[in-house]
């Protein structure tokens, strides 16, 4: 994947954390590029099965896209905190350097940085920066017995509206009652136990509930 | 004031609409503890306060945007029929979700009464509802009821008699799901009161059961164990009762010897006793089987079975919800086929509908039981279990074949409610069982009686031929049809039995009873006229070929002629081939 594609993916991920819907124009504005170049990138990312782009302009991360995006974002956060906390680089330079380096830096160097920061108690705080990002994952990976907050539902329209009518709504808290290795899940939604197929759950993004 | 009113029962699945329907009208409609029991609107009448109420029980729906066929029925009814008012039945222990539909209904401005069902369970949870506040917020009359125990019905009826106005809610009802749920949350905060929580030991105990019932390995084991026990239980108790009945039948046969008129005597002995009598005789098995199925339905286990079997059903291109109609097929194929209306896609419905006829129904059970008892003695149970399994395998084969050829679409993901366990309510189970027993007697007294007399007629005339001989009418027909079944080792009498079995499977027994009349019981007569291998192959054929005319009719009405014809041809073909293979294999042994 090219450097700029990674940037697009990262921005889409960041937008997905704050916005309900992501449109081409949002991405263009954030990266300060034209709509058509975003469209090109979108086309390529779709081909790589990292995002889905719906006909009325909504962009959504696929499961693998999410994993990829989190990896890049993780690198970015780590690099930036290394620059700021260890090297005492200014915030703005740290940001742009991290942006540039995140695409090329080797796994080994990253590991060493983490090791260095771990050994240095002074910068423990900064490590949390990495963890402060809400951990978003698909519902089929949720641990049974733990409450989760619905982050985003990305099913087909018909299933999505049915889920909403059954009370599965974004920002709502639900409990995963049962989640085996395969087969459907049992979720407690609005006080009712619902059996929900694994495929549907794979299209619902959640994060740990506070 | 009009003295006739139409009232529709509307609510989410498993909220107890049919229980309320039964309580209001005194009917005995089938109830169960799983979503989707009622798949068609049912009507009943009752009089009170000089008004005739027409009550319409509608299939449950989660919202007014239908997702499956049964939900569509409810929506269409509300839109086209315009009842005078509706009763919105809700499960008060799952208020937050059930209120969703209520708010949608309120926004339609249909006059309604809000019936809070299962308030006894709510009390057990340590909660109570402020009916007055509720009524003010929603702008409709609110009544607490416990439908299955007939409690709270009188206050409800008196409100129904007073007349109901369109709802005047305190605040405007929102449209979007998110907003509706915010509203329900607010409303619940205002109306729910916390009281003293009762110690509920059964809940803890039942949760422990769920550990096993929902376990990926133990779950299926538990399911098969339950099925096995159910059959064992049916056989054990059924067998005891039957042996008394058989003695009574033999006694009556002797008793009719004193009748002088030869035709009357023959009708009584050969027609009624040997024909209809042999069918009625087996009613204990029917009762026990339905008792068991009803027990499963009422306890809430059906939802667990659907969950546990989902993995396997996906291999057939189906999902767990299809498992419920299949399971109900063991009772009777006809309602089982109708239950498929709660499935979401057409492909899935057709596939399930075509599998159901292979589920050995209660019509086949009496035939199996009698034959198994006659030919295999104590091993009879194993033979019957083998037949059930063979039926299931044939259904699986059918599904796989359809998946590979005509209906290739992937099954959608499972999305269904898991009902809470409820301690089976004996009155429900008893009523459901009694309903089926009555239906069985009714069938024996009408359809089976008429066809048997017809068969008797064909056997008796021409009277010179000797009863049921080759020269009688029936003998001529049987001889003419039998070449088709000769390769399976069936004689013309067995052929006639199978032909009458098209109408209903119990008729196999009646026709054998008519064609092999004897003073002793049918099972002893059968032992004299065929060997156990032929009997076994005969049972296999009976298991697999079309269950009855009613099943074909319902397949046609739920799908189309094409699929009904397919089902007939496929099942006969499969029956023939499998029977032939077994006969061939048994000859080698």
């Amino acid at each position: 994947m090219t450097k700029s594609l990674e940037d697009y993916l990262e921005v889409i991920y960041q937008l997905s954390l704050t916005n309900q819907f992501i449109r081409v124009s949002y991405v263009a504005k954030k990266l300060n590029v034209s709509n058509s170049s975003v469209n090109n990138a979108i086309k390529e990312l779709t081909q790589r099965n990292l995002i889905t782009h719906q006909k009325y302009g909504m962009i959504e991360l696929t499961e693998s896209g999410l994993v990829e995006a989190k990896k890049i974002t993780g690198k970015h956060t780590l690099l930036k905190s290394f620059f700021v906390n260890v090297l005492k680089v200014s915030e703005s330079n740290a940001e742009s350097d991290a942006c540039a380096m995140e695409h090329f830096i080797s796994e080994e160097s990253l590991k060493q940085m983490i090791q260095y920061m771990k050994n240095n108690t002074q910068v423990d705080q900064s490590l949390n920066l990495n963890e402060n990002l809400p951990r978003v994952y698909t519902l089929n990976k949720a641990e049974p017995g733990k409450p989760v907050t619905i982050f985003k539902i990305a099913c087909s329209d018909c299933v999505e509206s049915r889920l909403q009518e059954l009370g599965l709504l974004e920002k709502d808290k639900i409990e995963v009652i049962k989640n085996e290795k395969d087969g459907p899940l049992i979720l407690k939604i609005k006080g009712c136990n619902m059996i929900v197929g694994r495929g549907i759950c794979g299209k619902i993004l959640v994060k740990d509930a506070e | 004031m009009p003295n006739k009113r139409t009232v529709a029962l509307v609510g989410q699945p498993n909220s107890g609409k049919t229980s309320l329907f039964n309580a209001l009208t005194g009917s005995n409609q089938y109830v169960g503890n799983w979503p989707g029991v009622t798949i068609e609107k049912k009507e009943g009448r009752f009089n009170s306060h000089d008004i005739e109420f027409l009550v319409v029980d509608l299939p449950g729906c989660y919202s007014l945007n239908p997702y499956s066929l049964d939900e569509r029925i409810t929506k269409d009814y509300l839109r086209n029929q315009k009842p005078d008012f509706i009763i919105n039945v809700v499960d008060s222990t799952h208020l937050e979700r059930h209120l969703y539909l209520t708010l949608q209904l309120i926004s339609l401005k249909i006059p309604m009464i809000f019936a809070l069902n299962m308030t006894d369970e709510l009390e057990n949870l340590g909660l109570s509802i402020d009916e007055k506040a509720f009524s003010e917020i929603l702008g409709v009359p609110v009544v607490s009821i416990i439908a299955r125990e007939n409690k709270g019905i009188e206050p409800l009826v008196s409100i129904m008699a007073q007349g109901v106005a369109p709802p005047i809610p305190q605040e405007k009802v929102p449209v979007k799901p998110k907003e509706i749920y915010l509203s329900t949350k607010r409303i619940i905060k205002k109306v729910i009161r916390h009281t003293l929580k009762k110690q509920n030991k059964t809940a803890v105990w039942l949760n422990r059961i769920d550990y096993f019932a929902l376990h990926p390995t133990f779950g299926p084991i538990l399911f098969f164990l339950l099925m096995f026990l159910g059959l064992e239980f049916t056989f054990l108790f059924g067998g005891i009762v039957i042996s008394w009945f058989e003695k009574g039948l033999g006694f009556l046969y002797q008793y009719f010897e004193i009748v002088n008129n030869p035709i009357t005597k023959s009708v009584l002995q050969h027609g009624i006793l040997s024909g209809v009598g042999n069918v009625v005789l087996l009613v204990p098995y029917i009762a026990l089987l339905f008792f068991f199925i009803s027990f499963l339905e009422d306890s809430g286990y059906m939802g667990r079975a659907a969950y546990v079997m989902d993995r396997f059903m996906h291999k057939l291109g189906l999902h767990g919800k299809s498992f419920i109609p299949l399971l109900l097929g063991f009772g009777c194929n006809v309602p089982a086929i109708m239950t498929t209306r709660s499935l979401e896609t057409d492909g899935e419905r057709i596939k399930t509908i075509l599998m159901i006829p292979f589920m050995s129904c209660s019509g086949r059970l009496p035939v199996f039981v009698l034959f198994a008892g006659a030919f295999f003695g104590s091993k009879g149970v194993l033979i019957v279990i083998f037949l059930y399994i063979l039926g299931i395998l044939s259904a699986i084969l059918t599904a796989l074949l359809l998946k590979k050829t005509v209906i290739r679409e992937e099954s959608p993901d499972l999305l269904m409610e898991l009902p809470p366990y409820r301690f089976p309510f004996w009155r429900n189970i008893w009523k459901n069982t009694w309903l089926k027993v009555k239906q069985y007697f009714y069938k024996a007294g009408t359809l089976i009686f008429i066809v048997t007399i017809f068969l008797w007629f064909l056997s008796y005339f021409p009277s010179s031929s000797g009863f049921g001989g080759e020269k009688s009418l029936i003998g001529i027909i049987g001889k003419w049809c039998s070449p088709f079944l000769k390769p399976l080792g069936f004689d013309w009498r067995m052929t006639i039995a199978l032909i009458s079995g098209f109408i209903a499977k119990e008729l196999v027994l009646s026709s054998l009873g008519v064609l092999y009349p004897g003073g002793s019981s049918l099972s002893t007569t059968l032992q004299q006229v065929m060997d156990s291998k032929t009997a076994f192959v005969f049972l296999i054929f009976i298991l697999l070929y079309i269950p009855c005319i009613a099943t074909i009719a319902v397949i046609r009405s739920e799908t189309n002629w094409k699929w009904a014809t397919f089902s007939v041809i496929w099942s006969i073909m499969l029956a023939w081939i499998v029977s032939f293979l077994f006969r061939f294999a048994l000859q080698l042994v």
Side-chain angles (χ1 to χ4, degrees):
Chain A
M1 196 156 48
T2 61
K3 164 186 176 296
S4 76
L5 272 187
E6 285 190 353
D7 280 336
Y8 280 110
L9 196 62
E10 200 180 345
V11 165
I12 290 168
Y13 174 67
Q14 281 163 3
L15 285 170
S16 77
L17 297 179
T18 47
N19 295 16
Q20 196 150 13
F21 308 114
I22 312 163
R23 294 179 195 284
V24 171
S25 56
Y26 300 178
V27 182
K29 202 175 158 198
K30 183 115 186 175
L31 278 169
N32 207 8
V33 292
S34 70
N35 275 5
S36 66
S37 40
V38 176
N39 272 326
N40 285 338
I42 295 288
K43 216 179 273 169
E44 253 188 80
L45 287 172
T46 314
Q47 272 165 15
R48 286 165 199 263
N49 200 23
L50 294 171
I51 58 166
T52 56
H53 187 209
Q54 284 166 9
K55 51 190 169 196
Y56 21 77
M58 257 159 61
I59 302 165
E60 271 168 303
L61 286 168
T62 64
E63 221 177 294
S64 55
L66 189 70
V67 172
E68 199 61 38
K70 280 199 314 205
K71 227 194 261 168
I72 303 167
T73 314
K75 277 186 202 170
H76 180 100
T77 325
L78 186 86
L79 281 166
K80 190 179 163 190
S81 79
F82 188 81
F83 291 144
V84 173
N85 294 301
V86 181
L87 305 178
K88 308 292 177 205
V89 179
S90 72
E91 185 90 25
S92 60
N93 278 341
E95 175 70 38
S96 58
D97 288 348
C99 241
M101 279 178 76
E102 70 194 23
H103 307 293
F104 311 110
I105 192 160
S106 69
E107 292 285 324
E108 193 193 350
S109 306
L110 274 175
K111 247 189 216 152
Q112 291 304 324
M113 278 185 188
I114 295 172
Q115 202 51 51
Y116 181 85
M117 290 203 281
K118 268 192 184 153
N119 293 341
N120 194 334
T121 44
Q122 256 188 321
V123 291
D124 249 357
Q125 286 272 317
S126 66
L127 262 182
N128 287 341
L129 227 173
N130 202 2
E131 281 154 24
N132 272 342
L133 272 176
R135 212 168 69 82
V136 180
Y137 47 97
T138 51
L139 183 53
N140 57 356
K141 305 222 172 76
E143 231 176 282
K146 258 170 90 178
V148 292
T149 307
I150 303 293
F151 183 64
K152 197 178 258 293
I153 303 170
C155 303
S156 68
D157 289 351
C158 144
V159 176
E160 181 166 345
S161 58
R162 173 49 42 138
L163 287 172
Q164 286 180 349
E165 292 190 312
L166 291 172
L168 199 80
L169 297 157
E170 278 166 18
K171 296 199 185 105
D172 267 15
K173 205 193 272 187
I174 60 163
E175 199 184 328
V176 180
I177 304 284
K178 223 155 178 50
N179 183 7
E180 306 287 347
K181 279 185 221 87
D182 54 357
L185 282 79
I186 298 178
L187 310 172
K188 194 171 199 139
I189 306 168
K190 303 279 173 217
C192 301
N193 284 340
M194 298 292 303
I195 307 176
V196 184
R198 184 158 294 270
I200 295 177
C201 293
K203 291 176 188 148
I204 299 172
L205 295 179
V206 295
K207 40 187 183 181
D208 291 332
E210 285 93 49
Chain B
M1 191 178 239
N3 50 9
K4 262 189 180 177
R5 277 179 207 167
T6 308
V7 45
L9 305 182
V10 187
Q12 292 199 343
N14 222 22
S15 58
K17 293 172 294 299
T18 307
S19 290
L20 178 61
F21 179 83
N22 287 345
L24 282 173
T25 61
S27 342
N28 285 321
Q29 289 297 342
Y30 210 80
V31 287
N33 176 19
W34 49 279
V37 183
T38 309
I39 27 77
E40 202 164 40
K41 76 176 168 83
K42 286 174 186 143
E43 295 183 350
R45 278 165 216 279
F46 76 99
N47 287 302
S48 184
H49 300 75
D50 293 326
I51 302 167
E52 188 188 348
F53 290 101
L54 172 68
V55 188
V56 183
D57 183 21
L58 292 168
C61 58
Y62 286 108
S63 86
L64 293 174
N65 307 319
Y67 193 62
S68 55
L69 260 179
D70 52 342
E71 291 193 336
R72 183 164 293 279
I73 292 169
T74 302
K75 192 195 175 182
D76 290 348
Y77 179 85
L78 288 179
R79 198 174 46 194
N80 304 329
Q81 305 292 317
K82 300 248 186 299
D84 290 320
F85 62 93
I86 59 173
I87 299 176
N88 175 217
V89 186
V90 299
D91 173 354
S92 56
T93 58
H94 295 106
L95 210 48
E96 198 176 352
R97 227 267 318 283
H98 281 253
L99 264 180
Y100 183 85
L101 178 69
T102 308
L103 291 182
Q104 279 195 324
L105 288 168
I106 286 178
S107 65
L108 285 184
K109 300 275 178 217
I110 310 174
M112 69 178 244
I113 301 174
F114 185 66
L116 285 161
N117 196 10
M118 311 180 205
T119 39
D120 51 339
E121 287 183 27
L122 190 76
E123 263 173 53
N124 287 340
L125 293 173
L127 300 167
S128 74
I129 289 176
D130 185 343
E131 286 176 36
K132 207 165 152 258
F134 218 154
S135 172
E136 276 163 17
I137 294 169
L138 297 178
V140 298
V142 174
V143 195
S144 291
I145 57 170
I146 307 168
R148 71 175 189 177
E149 288 176 27
N150 282 350
K151 282 185 186 152
I153 303 302
E154 265 173 44
L156 176 66
V157 172
S158 66
I159 293 176
M160 288 166 73
Q162 281 162 26
V164 188
I168 313 158
Q170 266 182 357
E171 45 188 304
K172 203 172 168 297
V173 179
V175 187
K176 283 190 181 155
K178 181 113 202 165
E179 290 159 4
I180 298 182
Y181 272 113
L182 284 176
S183 260
T184 64
K185 211 171 212 168
R186 269 203 307 276
I187 294 172
I188 286 169
K189 237 181 215 157
K190 285 183 203 157
V191 298
I192 289 275
R193 302 270 174 275
H194 291 265
T195 56
L196 212 62
K197 191 168 177 172
K198 285 184 191 166
Q199 274 286 331
N200 197 347
K201 277 184 188 150
T202 38
V204 182
W205 187 71
L206 288 172
N207 274 330
R208 280 201 198 124
I209 295 184
D210 252 354
Y211 174 79
F212 291 101
L214 297 174
H215 194 277
T217 344
F218 300 137
I221 294 174
L222 184 76
F223 170 74
F224 286 110
L225 203 71
L226 264 175
M227 290 293 119
F228 178 76
L229 286 177
L231 267 182
E232 266 293 347
F233 153 88
T234 307
F235 274 85
L236 195 69
F237 289 95
I240 297 170
V241 185
I242 295 276
S243 59
W244 305 334
F245 281 23
E246 263 187 339
K247 281 191 191 113
L249 209 65
F251 175 77
L252 275 178
Y253 195 91
Q254 293 303 320
Y255 183 78
F256 286 143
E257 283 294 330
I258 56 162
V259 177
N260 279 329
N261 184 325
I263 294 185
T264 320
K265 185 170 142 187
S266 180
V267 168
L268 285 173
Q269 286 188 334
H270 303 147
I272 302 200
L273 279 188
S274 308
V276 183
N278 272 311
V279 175
V280 174
L281 181 76
L282 294 155
V283 76
Y285 286 107
I286 306 297
L288 287 163
L289 181 74
F290 279 107
F291 179 85
F292 176 66
I293 293 178
S294 189
F295 180 87
L296 286 187
E297 284 186 65
D298 219 41
S299 64
Y301 183 74
M302 296 305 250
R304 271 84 191 165
Y307 169 80
V308 163
M309 288 300 166
D310 186 67
R311 266 159 264 213
F312 175 72
M313 297 301 280
H314 266 284
K315 296 194 175 118
L316 307 178
L318 292 167
H319 64 42
K321 220 197 260 179
S322 314
F323 192 71
I324 294 180
L326 291 176
L327 206 57
L328 294 177
F330 287 128
C332 178
N333 288 179
V334 176
I337 287 170
M338 294 177 56
T339 306
T340 59
R341 284 185 195 172
S342 60
L343 301 177
E344 294 92 355
T345 66
D346 277 348
E348 218 180 351
R349 282 194 70 214
I350 290 170
K351 226 184 282 177
T352 313
I353 286 174
L354 294 174
M355 285 172 85
I356 289 172
F358 295 107
M359 297 303 179
S360 182
C361 66
S362 63
R364 278 165 265 191
L365 185 69
V367 188
F368 295 166
V369 169
L370 197 116
F371 271 78
F375 291 96
F376 307 103
S378 59
K379 286 194 200 107
V381 186
L382 293 178
I383 295 289
V384 176
I385 289 174
F386 172 81
L387 288 168
Y388 272 83
I389 293 172
L390 188 66
I392 295 167
L393 292 177
S394 305
I396 293 172
L397 178 74
T398 308
L400 286 176
L401 219 68
L402 288 169
K403 190 188 165 207
K404 288 266 145 61
T405 56
V406 207
I407 309 170
R408 288 191 205 185
E409 59 185 274
E410 274 296 306
S411 58
D413 261 306
L414 186 59
L415 186 58
M416 74 175 273
E417 192 174 350
L418 186 68
Y421 278 122
R422 297 216 160 87
F423 209 76
F425 197 58
W426 297 112
R427 189 157 40 159
N428 273 353
I429 297 181
W430 170 241
K431 265 165 116 178
N432 284 349
T433 309
W434 177 233
L435 192 72
K436 296 292 178 186
V437 168
K438 261 202 318 213
Q439 282 169 3
Y440 187 78
F441 275 126
Y442 181 78
K443 197 172 169 189
T446 52
L447 180 75
I448 290 171
F449 177 76
I450 290 164
V451 178
T452 308
I453 293 301
F454 181 66
L455 287 171
W456 172 85
F457 177 85
L458 291 178
S459 315
Y460 193 81
F461 293 101
S463 51
S464 56
S465 60
F467 186 82
E470 291 183 13
K471 296 262 160 52
S472 64
L473 286 173
I474 209 164
I476 296 164
I477 299 171
K479 281 268 176 190
W480 191 74
C481 296
S482 70
F484 174 67
L485 295 170
K486 249 271 139 76
L488 307 180
F490 303 162
D491 66 12
W492 68 267
R493 289 188 169 87
M494 290 161 83
T495 309
I496 289 285
L498 289 176
I499 293 171
S500 55
F502 270 104
I503 300 167
K505 280 288 159 70
E506 295 93 337
L507 277 167
V508 170
L509 286 186
S510 319
S511 30
L512 288 175
V514 173
L515 290 169
Y516 295 122
S520 45
S521 67
L522 181 58
S523 40
T524 7
T525 319
L526 285 174
Q527 278 167 303
Q528 288 153 12
V529 295
M530 62 178 94
D531 60 79
S532 60
K533 284 177 187 172
T534 313
F536 183 61
V537 175
F538 191 54
L539 289 184
I540 291 176
F541 197 90
I542 291 171
L543 167 78
L544 298 177
Y545 87 113
I546 53 163
C548 63
I549 232 166
T551 306
I552 300 304
V554 78
I555 293 179
R556 192 201 68 81
S557 63
E558 294 292 312
T559 60
N560 52 33
W561 271 116
K562 204 183 83 189
W563 287 117
T565 317
F566 173 84
S567 172
V568 172
I569 294 174
W570 165 243
S571 65
I572 293 177
M573 219 172 76
L574 193 69
W576 203 94
I577 294 169
V578 176
S579 305
F580 186 78
L581 291 177
F582 267 96
R583 180 175 159 77
F584 186 73
L586 285 171
Q587 272 172 345
L588 295 180
V589 177

